[in-house]
Amino acid sequence: MHATVQVGLADRSYPIWIGEGLLGQPDIWRDALRPGRPGRVVVVSNEVVMPLYGQRVLDALGSLGCQTSQVVLPDGESHKDMASLMKIFDHLMSEHVDRSATVVALGGGVIGDMAGFAAACYQRGIDFVQVPTTLLSQVDSSVGGKTAINHPLGKNMIGAFYQPRAVIIDMTVLKTLPPREVSAGLAEIIKYGCILDADFFNWLEANMQALMAGDADALAYAIQKSCQIKAQVVAADERESSGQRALLNFGHTFGHAIEAGMGYGAWLHGEAVGCGMAMAALLSCQLGQLDVPSFKRVVALIDRAGLPLQPPAWPAQAYLDWMAHDKKSAAGAIRYILLKGLGQSELRPVEDALVRLAIEASQKGLASA
């Protein structure tokens, strides 16, 4: 049994399947592949995930008569670069993979982004299927068709919008996920409650202990709810043309600056986002549009998820310089996702002087801000 969330994009709509033990089910894979094309499947994974779960994927595909091969990349955000992308292209070219093939992204957000970008580019686009194996990728990066690699000057600055044929979320893989990765995934889950759904935020406050403990029912609800929220936003604003999808980047403007400045991989993406959400909530409060009790609730929930609250002690101008490369910047102005209340958010520019105050207050400790 599994739950299904549909991403509604007309003829590019696709399902998100959520359940236990899905990776080894041939019927799931038959539905994920284009009808009449069992053919060639290239599994892209990393050196941590492939030994754990790769064989059950290959066996399920093999039972359908698929011809499979694999690309195993180094693990970590620091390898989300052009060199790793070229390794995927090298394999596709050397194996004479044609445009009827399917790429399977088996891994976390790094693998999903790179494999999806490779699929978008190879022969101008071949099918791919997302199989996220971290909590963060299950609730965020695997859904919505954003694919990219990093550049030394900015995160995810080189990429494409390219939707998968399906997303297969097997909750069994979370049993091998380190606690630090669980916390990183919870950052993206908390984000949805902050920006769009106050009732979900309330639920997270009541169930954070269960989520941290790996309770299967709590995780299943949080994953499904997060995917539903993101699917609705993506269906309404696939390419961020109206600004609605940009709200999903709450905390990311500050968080991406932390990742770039620290060096990709020093902080997990979710850790940087968690800290960035606290910074954005503080800025919202200092601007007078988020009340103090709500601000404290946001910070307390981030803290309970085991996420950092205090950003690196760089000069505020260094943050502004990194954030100037953010994709949400427009006409030279950095735009921020800010809270107007729990479950309410907006995208807007803020004067640099006010942002500096928020950065410096965050560095001193949010409790004293």
Coordinates of all heavy atoms in Angstrom, one line a residue, residues 230-261:
K230 N 4.0 21.4 -1.7 CA 4.9 21.7 -2.7 C 4.3 21.5 -4.1 O 4.4 22.3 -5.0 CB 6.2 21.0 -2.6 CG 7.2 21.4 -3.7 CD 8.6 21.2 -3.4 CE 9.5 21.9 -4.5 NZ 11.0 21.7 -4.2
A231 N 3.5 20.4 -4.2 CA 2.9 20.1 -5.5 C 1.9 21.1 -5.9 O 1.8 21.5 -7.1 CB 2.2 18.7 -5.4
Q232 N 1.2 21.7 -5.0 CA 0.2 22.7 -5.2 C 0.9 24.0 -5.7 O 0.5 24.6 -6.7 CB -0.6 23.0 -4.0 CG -1.6 21.9 -3.6 CD -2.2 22.0 -2.2 OE1 -1.9 23.0 -1.5 NE2 -3.0 21.1 -1.8
V233 N 2.0 24.3 -5.1 CA 2.7 25.5 -5.4 C 3.4 25.4 -6.8 O 3.3 26.3 -7.6 CB 3.8 25.9 -4.4 CG1 4.7 27.0 -4.9 CG2 3.2 26.2 -3.0
V234 N 4.0 24.2 -7.1 CA 4.6 24.0 -8.4 C 3.6 24.0 -9.5 O 3.8 24.6 -10.6 CB 5.3 22.6 -8.4 CG1 5.8 22.2 -9.8 CG2 6.6 22.7 -7.4
A235 N 2.4 23.4 -9.2 CA 1.3 23.4 -10.3 C 0.9 24.8 -10.6 O 0.5 25.2 -11.7 CB 0.2 22.6 -9.8
A236 N 0.9 25.7 -9.6 CA 0.4 27.1 -9.8 C 1.5 28.0 -10.4 O 1.2 29.0 -11.0 CB -0.1 27.7 -8.4
D237 N 2.8 27.7 -10.1 CA 3.9 28.6 -10.5 C 5.2 27.8 -10.8 O 6.1 27.8 -10.0 CB 4.1 29.6 -9.4 CG 5.2 30.7 -9.8 OD1 5.5 30.8 -11.0 OD2 5.7 31.3 -8.9
E238 N 5.2 27.0 -11.9 CA 6.2 26.0 -12.1 C 7.6 26.7 -12.2 O 8.6 26.2 -11.6 CB 6.0 25.3 -13.4 CG 7.0 24.2 -13.7 CD 6.8 23.5 -15.0 OE1 5.8 23.9 -15.7 OE2 7.6 22.6 -15.3
R239 N 7.7 27.8 -12.8 CA 9.0 28.5 -13.1 C 9.2 29.8 -12.3 O 10.0 30.6 -12.8 CB 9.2 28.7 -14.6 CG 9.2 27.4 -15.4 CD 9.3 27.6 -16.9 NE 9.4 26.4 -17.6 CZ 10.6 25.9 -18.1 NH1 11.7 26.6 -17.9 NH2 10.6 24.8 -18.7
E240 N 8.5 29.9 -11.2 CA 8.6 31.1 -10.4 C 8.3 32.4 -11.1 O 8.8 33.5 -10.8 CB 10.0 31.2 -9.8 CG 10.3 30.1 -8.8 CD 11.6 30.3 -8.1 OE1 12.3 31.4 -8.2 OE2 12.0 29.4 -7.3
S241 N 7.4 32.3 -12.1 CA 7.0 33.5 -12.9 C 6.1 34.5 -12.1 O 6.2 35.7 -12.3 CB 6.3 33.1 -14.2 OG 5.2 32.3 -13.9
S242 N 5.3 34.0 -11.2 CA 4.5 34.8 -10.4 C 5.0 35.2 -9.0 O 4.5 36.0 -8.3 CB 3.1 34.2 -10.2 OG 3.2 33.1 -9.3
G243 N 6.1 34.5 -8.7 CA 6.7 34.7 -7.4 C 6.2 33.8 -6.3 O 6.8 33.7 -5.2
Q244 N 5.1 33.0 -6.5 CA 4.6 32.2 -5.5 C 5.6 31.1 -5.2 O 5.8 30.7 -4.0 CB 3.2 31.6 -5.9 CG 2.6 30.7 -4.8 CD 1.2 30.2 -5.3 OE1 0.7 30.5 -6.3 NE2 0.6 29.3 -4.4
R245 N 6.2 30.5 -6.2 CA 7.1 29.4 -5.9 C 8.3 29.9 -5.2 O 9.0 29.1 -4.4 CB 7.5 28.7 -7.2 CG 8.4 27.5 -7.0 CD 8.6 26.6 -8.2 NE 9.5 25.5 -7.8 CZ 9.7 24.4 -8.6 NH1 9.2 24.3 -9.8 NH2 10.5 23.5 -8.2
A246 N 8.7 31.1 -5.4 CA 9.9 31.7 -4.7 C 9.7 31.6 -3.2 O 10.7 31.5 -2.4 CB 10.1 33.1 -5.1
L247 N 8.4 31.6 -2.7 CA 8.2 31.5 -1.2 C 8.8 30.2 -0.6 O 9.1 30.2 0.6 CB 6.7 31.6 -1.0 CG 6.0 32.9 -1.4 CD1 4.5 32.8 -1.1 CD2 6.6 34.1 -0.7
L248 N 8.9 29.2 -1.5 CA 9.4 27.9 -1.0 C 10.9 28.1 -0.6 O 11.5 27.1 0.0 CB 9.3 26.8 -2.1 CG 7.9 26.4 -2.5 CD1 7.9 25.5 -3.6 CD2 7.1 25.8 -1.3
N249 N 11.5 29.2 -0.9 CA 12.9 29.4 -0.6 C 13.1 30.2 0.7 O 14.1 30.8 0.9 CB 13.6 30.2 -1.7 CG 13.8 29.3 -3.0 OD1 14.4 28.2 -2.9 ND2 13.3 29.8 -4.1
F250 N 12.1 30.2 1.5 CA 12.2 30.8 2.9 C 13.4 30.3 3.6 O 13.6 29.0 3.7 CB 10.9 30.5 3.7 CG 11.0 31.0 5.1 CD1 11.2 32.3 5.4 CD2 10.9 30.1 6.2 CE1 11.2 32.8 6.7 CE2 10.9 30.6 7.5 CZ 11.1 31.9 7.7
G251 N 14.3 31.2 4.0 CA 15.5 30.8 4.7 C 16.7 30.4 3.8 O 17.8 30.4 4.2
H252 N 16.4 30.3 2.5 CA 17.4 29.9 1.5 C 18.4 31.0 1.1 O 19.5 30.7 0.8 CB 16.8 29.2 0.3 CG 16.2 27.9 0.5 ND1 15.2 27.7 1.5 CD2 16.4 26.7 0.0 CE1 14.8 26.4 1.4 NE2 15.5 25.8 0.6
T253 N 17.9 32.2 1.1 CA 18.8 33.3 0.7 C 19.9 33.4 1.7 O 21.1 33.5 1.3 CB 18.0 34.6 0.6 OG1 16.9 34.5 -0.3 CG2 18.9 35.8 0.2
F254 N 19.6 33.5 3.0 CA 20.7 33.5 4.0 C 21.4 32.1 4.0 O 22.6 32.1 4.1 CB 20.1 33.7 5.4 CG 19.5 35.1 5.6 CD1 18.2 35.3 5.7 CD2 20.4 36.2 5.8 CE1 17.7 36.6 5.9 CE2 19.9 37.4 6.0 CZ 18.6 37.7 6.0
G255 N 20.7 31.0 3.9 CA 21.3 29.7 3.9 C 22.3 29.4 2.8 O 23.3 28.8 3.0
H256 N 21.9 29.8 1.6 CA 22.8 29.6 0.5 C 24.1 30.4 0.7 O 25.2 30.0 0.3 CB 22.2 30.0 -0.8 CG 21.2 29.0 -1.3 ND1 20.3 29.3 -2.4 CD2 20.8 27.8 -0.9 CE1 19.6 28.2 -2.6 NE2 19.8 27.3 -1.7
A257 N 24.0 31.6 1.3 CA 25.2 32.4 1.6 C 26.1 31.7 2.6 O 27.3 31.7 2.4 CB 24.8 33.8 2.2
I258 N 25.5 31.0 3.6 CA 26.3 30.3 4.5 C 27.0 29.1 3.8 O 28.2 28.9 4.1 CB 25.4 29.8 5.7 CG1 24.9 30.9 6.5 CG2 26.1 28.7 6.5 CD1 23.8 30.5 7.5
E259 N 26.3 28.4 3.0 CA 26.9 27.2 2.3 C 28.0 27.7 1.4 O 29.1 27.0 1.4 CB 25.8 26.5 1.5 CG 24.8 25.7 2.2 CD 23.8 25.0 1.3 OE1 22.8 25.6 1.0 OE2 24.1 23.8 1.0
A260 N 27.8 28.7 0.7 CA 28.8 29.2 -0.3 C 30.1 29.7 0.5 O 31.2 29.4 0.1 CB 28.3 30.3 -1.2
G261 N 29.8 30.5 1.6 CA 30.9 31.0 2.3 C 31.7 30.0 3.1 O 32.9 30.1 3.2

